[in-house]
Amino acid sequence: MASSRRRRGGGPERAADNWERLVRAALKRDRDHLRAGGAAGGLGLAAAVPASLGRTTNIEQILQAADDIEDEDPNVARILCEQAYTLAQNLDPSSEGRGMLQFKTGLQSVIKQKLAKKDGASIDRQNDIQVLWNFYLDYKSRRRVDDMQREQERLRESGTFSTEMGARAMEMKKVYVTLRALLDVLEILVGQSPTDRLHRQILEEIKKIKRSDAALRGELMPYNIVPLDAPSSVTNIIGFFPEVRAATTAIQNCEDLPRFTYDAPQLRQKDIFDLLQYVFGFQDDNIRNQRENVVLTLANAQSRLGLLDGTEPKIDERAVTEVFCKVLDNYIKWCRYLGKRVAWTSLEAVNKNRKIILVALYFLIWGEAANIRFLPECLCYIFHNMAKELDGILDSSEAEPAKSCITGDGSTSFLEKIITPIYETMAAEANNNNGGKAAHSAWRNYDDFNEYFWSRSCFELCWPPAEGSKFLRKPARRKRTGKTNFVEHRTFLHLYRSFHRLWIFLLLMFQGLAIIAFRHGKIDIDTFKILLSAGPAFFILNFIECCLDVLLMFGAYKMARGFAISRLVIRFFWLTAVSTFVTYLYVKVLEEKNARNSDSTYFRIYGLVLGGYAAVRIAFALMAKIPACHRLSSFSDRSQFFQFFKWIYQERYYIGRGLYESISDYARYVIFWIVILACKFTFAYFLQIKPLVEPTNIIVQLHDLKYSWHDLVSRGNKNALTILSLWAPVLAIYLMDIHIWYTLLSALVGGVMGARDRLGEIRSIEMLHKRFESFPEAFAKNLSPQRISSRPVAQDSEITKMYASIFSPFWNEIIKSLREEDYISNREMDLLMMPSNCGTLRLVQWPLFLLTSKIMLANDYASDCKDSQYELWYRISKDEYMAYAVKECYYSTERILHSLVDAEGQRWVERLFRDLNDSIAQGSLLVTINLRKLQLVQRKLTGLTGLLIRNETAGLAAGVTKALLELYEVITHEFLAPNLREQFDTWQLLLRARNEGRLFSKIFWPNDPEMKEQVKRLHLLLTVKDSAANIPKNLEARRRLQFFTNSLFMDMPAAKPVSEMIPFSVFTPYYSETVLYSMSELCVENEDGISILFYLQKIYPDEWANFLERIGRGESSEDDFKDSPSDTLELRFWVSYRGQTLARTVRGMMYYRRALMLQSYLEKRYLGGIEDGNSAAQYIDTQGYELSPDARAQADIKFTYVVSCQIYGQQKQMKKQEAADIALLLQRNEALRVAFIHEEDSVSSDGHATREYYSKLVKADVHGKDQEIYSIKLPGNPKLGEGKPENQNHAIIFTRGDAIQTIDMNQDNYLEEAMKMRNLLEEFRNAHGNHGIRNPTILGVREHVFTGSVSSLASFMSKQETSFVTLGQRVLAYLKVRMHYGHPDVFDRIFHITRGGISKASRVINISEDIYAGFNSTLRQGNITHHEYIQVGKGRDVGLNQIALFEGKVAGGNGEQVLSRDVYRLGQLFDFFRMLTFFFTTVGYYVCTMHVVPECPYS
């Protein structure tokens, strides 16, 4: 054995050596990765610190500091690493923690490497403290930390922040991180008992820092958006905004609150959140999360009312009341519905501070409720009881913990005492569904739990919830709690039950049309009596529906409300009796009809009964459904008599009340359906029913026919089965062809609406060219705040130039984004860019692509001109852009020549152009100049500008002098007429300068940015010969520019300033899809020998060429990129941006922040210019706007982006590529936040292994690594239902703002569309009542499917999807039945998070989770609209198998919808015509499609 071990080189020793080599290789690879611009999130051992150490120590920061100072002082880095190892060893000596052994071994290897660099020199560890202290002082001096702190203090006092300060923010943070790590290690090494003067000096420094240097600690505290724990931070100036300061002060107002024990942090004052944490035991990070949420909510509400002034701004009472009423609106309605008094006496009696406390309490409950967030009325119940407890505590002088939240060990925990019992019951029910295979009736879903709180019996649950209650009873074999109010039995009978009014109407109309047809169209008393057979049919069909109600409620009777059961019983006996009675009467009527000399007594009684019932039914229908009668209906509720009959007519739920629309909306969809029904029944009567009357009569009269089937069904029944076979397909087509009529009319109406909304006005690049002049004005009026677009100007002629100056910086940023995305080349970018139009030039300068080749054409016109000056100008002016080009060329030449020369040269330029201007004014230009020499002048001028566009050198300056002299000779001796030529030749001043060689000897090179831009533009104007029709060449770039410019003329709300706009979040759920393609994925070939990269190069050849031009490469293959890591990374992003990847989605959504920064920056410049009395020209430059601290802070207040990467924690632990790629996205996008579920194994007090779940939010820190912002413990595994909505639910607590846009991870966005987001958000205010009687709660957004170019099948799917997301949803919104069909709709965030969230999550039944958000919003009196002036990119399935799976999922989801309570309630509670639209655009579409299959053989 020993010899064997020796041959292998020694077992443990060899393993250690191998490990060290692996560590060295990994560290080298990570350093190379960093130099290539990769994510720093995976660098070195700092990223490998086990989670248990990272939470309890600052080892990660110490190792990061060691890595940062490695090159400066390896010995200090060694000290830090050794101290980190000591800390790890002390915490876990036996290395039992996950990843601890590998971490320690790796750290030992690194220390050995650092020791080896000493080249054998001895190390005196006794001097480590001295070495570290000296380095600390030197580092602090070299980084000018004291100066930084003084500058920060000055900035805090002045409140003024520069762009330069914003650029230095990251550097300052890194310095602070390193200093903090050095101080921590020094403090540990010195200990608390100093032994010498140095030690005492170090401790004094540490105490001084802790006592006075709040900035050093504040800058390092993790925060999300607002550094509330470090309000003095100057690297993020949000805390200095007056509205944020006012909101912070408001929550810190504790004067009238009871005293409570409070561990005061040194950087902020105590506030109401500390009180609530003390009373109810909320988690620390839940407190921090909701503190920021409430501060931002109040601050944004205040900003909409106007900016605050003064050194101590205070929040306005109106802002607090607005937030209070919106957040607690559902709670107030719930109390009113149950007849319970709210937790406060009256709104007027609640002061501002109490309102903020109640809002904070609700948000804290919601933020820690986990899966209970799907139960909005359960949250109301919890809030109601906790608010009452709090009310009693607030009235006392000293606070005490709430009794409901005191645990067994005497501590307080809201999660353990309130949330966990409810969660455990829900989890037990979810486990009972057998992975979704059990029947829906066998277990309680989220809706069942929530609807328990729709009756007053919920208060029998007690407070805190009693463990032995029915509600908290866990399912057992023989004893379980039943469903609540509804049971989702799997049967097609739900179709009839939910939409019985539709089927009854169609069957009765079929019956009536058939009767008229068999009576040969004669309408007489006999026909009328036969038509009255509809009476018994109506009651029998209603009786069938009532029987289905009784049968399908089986399983919910135990938990159903007594009123609901009473209503079922009453309706059952009522319809049984009335059906029998009406049928009996009608039989008597028929007997009277056949009897002679009848007095028609029964007929009159029958008529009175039907008439009376119809009158009562119509009256209740009007009161319940017709908008004009709703006030009368509300008034009649005071009478118990009317209440009883309304209750019998329609069940009363907590939701679904008040589903009525305005008179105009109601009339709109009623007329729509009257047209459809008129066409349908006319077609049915003349082409379906009437042609079958004669064949049916003939078949009935046939006797003694022999059938192949049994005599039992063929003898003596007048050929009934034959007649049934004849009529069955007709009846089936009759029932489904209404969908065809709907499709035809909706296409017509949708087309008219699109034309009215001006969609498609600009549908080609030629139309864009023709209308470009009108874009600046439209942009300024629609996308710019009124304060800017309505600025006063000196003359009316300057208005166009002002509009152009507003439009140009935004247009240029759009063009730059197209270049960054490689849709256009550098040359195309130069031609598409628009001058700032804020200089002294006297005309509007348009982009060069509009003016290309215009000068050449004008020269040709001039050379051929044989008429007057006016005729020549008339010919040129026929092309308005040619006229612009000629004017600009003339004025620019004058200005450039004048700025180039001095003395005699300037005199020559001034006199030349004065003479030319006089000739133009007198109409004698053709006499003054020789037009045939104009092309020669152009060539000389082109040569001059060709030199000037380059950087100045002595040789080029001499060349410019020579070019000017040549231009002088050509103009003076060939271009000008002889009389002017003689004047210039005899001009002594000029003659003397020429003879002495002084003319043009001194050149003033155009170094001014504005002049450089003008020279370059003039050069391009003179040289570019490309046709404007070919710019841009890329079809996607054309499409985007056409849509954007077209949208400028569409009706949209006016833009508010960024400071006053509605804040919003973007929310993307992600699981394990592709984040970023790796090089191996790009280069691997499929069975056909084609790689992804090769395929993309072939379908996007122009974009590939533009990409190579952008990174400075020529024609390259994938192998050529291996020598440059940075180019490799760019290649990976280029490919990923053309697939359905998370990287593409993140880039697109971050355009919102970029657009807001640009808008905020320019608004401040414009408004600042006006206020300061300066011209706007000084404030138009957009260079560096992304570094402006003010613009960045303003954008962060208004925009948040959260990606919910559910298994990101697991991916990091398993070192998956997706985790590294997500970390890279975090590093490249500082405003990006990633939420994920963290799982942690632990041991309970009784020794059992348990697993704990946390909802975490991270961002990239200054080193690019993940920085944990919040970590909120969950009661258990959050995935109880469908994955995607559960993923959304756990992370939605980290969103901010009043709106939330849901974005899938296969979507994209564009900068030009992001500029319109603040206009879209204004739709929520419904300022002009364009959206009906309710403010919108969901804003539908148009999608562009970008996968259409991949294949013909993808193209077909793209067109199908486009028709639905444009024309289809346009009509649905018009008819007030648009739902939420997925992303990218924008939700009213407060409305939805207080009403169950943005989707439903019950297993299987909510498999189409998105549409249930629309159902829920509508049932809760929401309003869903659709808007097409803004669009978002969307990827769709491109393969046949993928498409089949997608269609199968949608169809299966519709099958589940048929069973759902949401569809049942909408089918019952909508008025008849709105119900028709709802049916035929949801489940009815699939029902009609299902009919088509058996009907095909008959067609």
Side-chain angles (χ1 to χ4, degrees), residues 65 80 117 129 198 200 383 522 652 656 840 842 1232 1377 1433:
L80 296 180
K117 290 181 181 179
I129 295 177
L198 174 62
R200 286 192 293 272
F383 172 80
K522 293 189 298 183
R652 186 172 181 262
T840 57
R842 289 173 286 176
L1232 175 64
V1377 290

Side-chain angles (χ1 to χ4, degrees), residues 127 249 630 796 1125:
N127 285 331
T249 303
H630 180 71
D796 291 343

Side-chain angles (χ1 to χ4, degrees), residues 491-505 507 537-549 552 1458 1464 1467-1468 1479 1487:
T491 171
F492 277 106
L493 294 174
H494 279 289
L495 277 173
Y496 182 82
R497 183 194 183 198
S498 300
F499 301 99
H500 69 280
R501 291 180 293 164
L502 166 66
W503 306 117
I504 292 173
F505 173 71
L507 290 174
F538 172 79
F539 285 106
I540 291 170
L541 290 172
N542 272 287
F543 175 72
I544 294 172
E545 186 267 335
C546 182
C547 292
L548 289 179
D549 278 344
L552 295 180
V1458 172
Y1464 168 73
Q1468 295 288 310
F1479 175 76
V1487 172

Side-chain angles (χ1 to χ4, degrees), residues 1068-1088:
T1068 299
Y1070 165 86
Y1071 189 68
S1072 61
E1073 299 86 350
T1074 301
V1075 179
L1076 194 67
Y1077 286 113
S1078 65
M1079 281 302 292
S1080 59
E1081 290 175 311
L1082 300 187
C1083 301
V1084 66
E1085 296 180 350
N1086 62 10
E1087 62 273 11
D1088 298 322

Side-chain angles (χ1 to χ4, degrees), residues 1232-1265:
L1232 175 64
R1233 302 290 183 265
V1234 168
F1236 64 95
I1237 300 295
H1238 173 70
E1239 301 179 12
E1240 188 173 301
D1241 295 325
S1242 62
V1243 179
S1244 62
S1245 56
D1246 56 1
H1248 290 91
T1250 60
R1251 175 164 290 184
E1252 294 180 343
Y1253 295 85
Y1254 294 84
S1255 184
K1256 292 180 179 281
L1257 185 73
V1258 297
K1259 68 175 181 178
D1261 65 6
V1262 292
H1263 296 288
K1265 301 194 305 297

Side-chain angles (χ1 to χ4, degrees), residues 1229-1338:
N1229 302 278
E1230 64 170 332
L1232 175 64
R1233 302 290 183 265
V1234 168
F1236 64 95
I1237 300 295
H1238 173 70
E1239 301 179 12
E1240 188 173 301
D1241 295 325
S1242 62
V1243 179
S1244 62
S1245 56
D1246 56 1
H1248 290 91
T1250 60
R1251 175 164 290 184
E1252 294 180 343
Y1253 295 85
Y1254 294 84
S1255 184
K1256 292 180 179 281
L1257 185 73
V1258 297
K1259 68 175 181 178
D1261 65 6
V1262 292
H1263 296 288
K1265 301 194 305 297
D1266 288 358
Q1267 182 182 55
E1268 183 179 295
I1269 306 172
Y1270 306 122
S1271 178
I1272 299 175
K1273 186 178 179 181
L1274 303 174
N1277 190 343
K1279 190 179 180 305
L1280 300 183
E1282 292 297 327
K1284 180 179 171 183
E1286 297 283 19
N1287 188 11
Q1288 290 175 322
N1289 177 64
H1290 96 87
I1292 198 170
I1293 57 175
F1294 303 125
T1295 59
R1296 300 288 185 263
D1298 293 354
I1300 181 169
Q1301 185 178 30
T1302 51
I1303 292 291
D1304 239 333
M1305 62 74 50
N1306 62 342
Q1307 295 198 248
D1308 196 4
N1309 198 16
Y1310 318 110
L1311 178 62
E1312 64 273 17
E1313 300 306 308
M1315 292 176 182
K1316 293 178 278 189
M1317 189 62 180
R1318 57 179 174 175
N1319 299 77
L1320 177 68
L1321 293 170
E1322 287 301 309
E1323 300 281 3
F1324 280 120
R1325 297 180 181 174
N1326 196 20
H1328 303 293
N1330 297 331
H1331 305 304
I1333 56 178
R1334 301 182 186 89
N1335 290 346
T1337 52
I1338 299 179

Side-chain angles (χ1 to χ4, degrees), residues 201-319:
Q201 186 179 358
I202 292 172
L203 285 180
E204 285 298 321
E205 174 72 9
I206 292 171
K207 289 178 181 178
K208 173 187 170 186
I209 292 294
K210 285 186 175 180
R211 185 172 57 251
S212 62
D213 192 5
L216 177 58
R217 288 170 292 127
E219 298 297 343
L220 304 182
M221 287 191 174
Y223 63 90
N224 184 21
I225 298 172
V226 186
L228 291 173
D229 289 321
S232 59
S233 170
V234 296
T235 56
N236 187 333
I237 68 167
I238 291 178
F240 290 87
F241 282 21
E243 61 269 28
V244 176
R245 287 165 51 205
T248 306
T249 303
I251 67 170
Q252 292 173 348
N253 182 12
C254 299
E255 293 178 0
D256 58 345
L257 299 182
R259 296 185 302 274
F260 61 96
T261 305
Y262 169 67
D263 298 328
Q266 296 181 2
L267 298 182
R268 65 168 179 84
Q269 301 176 22
K270 69 177 182 180
D271 56 31
I272 60 175
F273 286 89
D274 298 308
L275 170 64
L276 293 173
Q277 184 179 25
Y278 173 77
V279 172
F280 296 110
F282 294 111
Q283 297 179 52
D284 289 342
D285 281 356
N286 180 33
I287 289 286
R288 292 177 57 239
N289 181 35
Q290 297 307 328
R291 178 184 286 120
E292 182 186 85
N293 182 30
V294 170
V295 165
L296 285 177
T297 302
L298 291 173
N300 282 305
Q302 178 62 54
S303 67
R304 292 194 292 273
L305 297 176
L307 294 178
L308 296 166
D309 298 322
T311 56
E312 296 183 2
K314 292 186 178 180
I315 206 79
D316 195 290
E317 179 80 35
R318 291 173 298 164

Side-chain angles (χ1 to χ4, degrees), residues 1412-1450:
Y1412 287 92
F1415 295 162
N1416 188 46
S1417 184
T1418 302
L1419 283 166
R1420 292 175 180 271
Q1421 299 182 30
N1423 185 10
I1424 306 176
T1425 59
H1426 185 67
H1427 309 276
E1428 295 189 76
Y1429 52 80
I1430 187 171
Q1431 66 176 354
V1432 174
K1434 175 75 172 179
R1436 274 299 178 200
D1437 304 294
V1438 297
L1440 188 59
N1441 290 338
Q1442 293 173 312
I1443 293 172
L1445 289 172
F1446 171 75
E1447 295 290 345
K1449 179 194 172 186
V1450 175

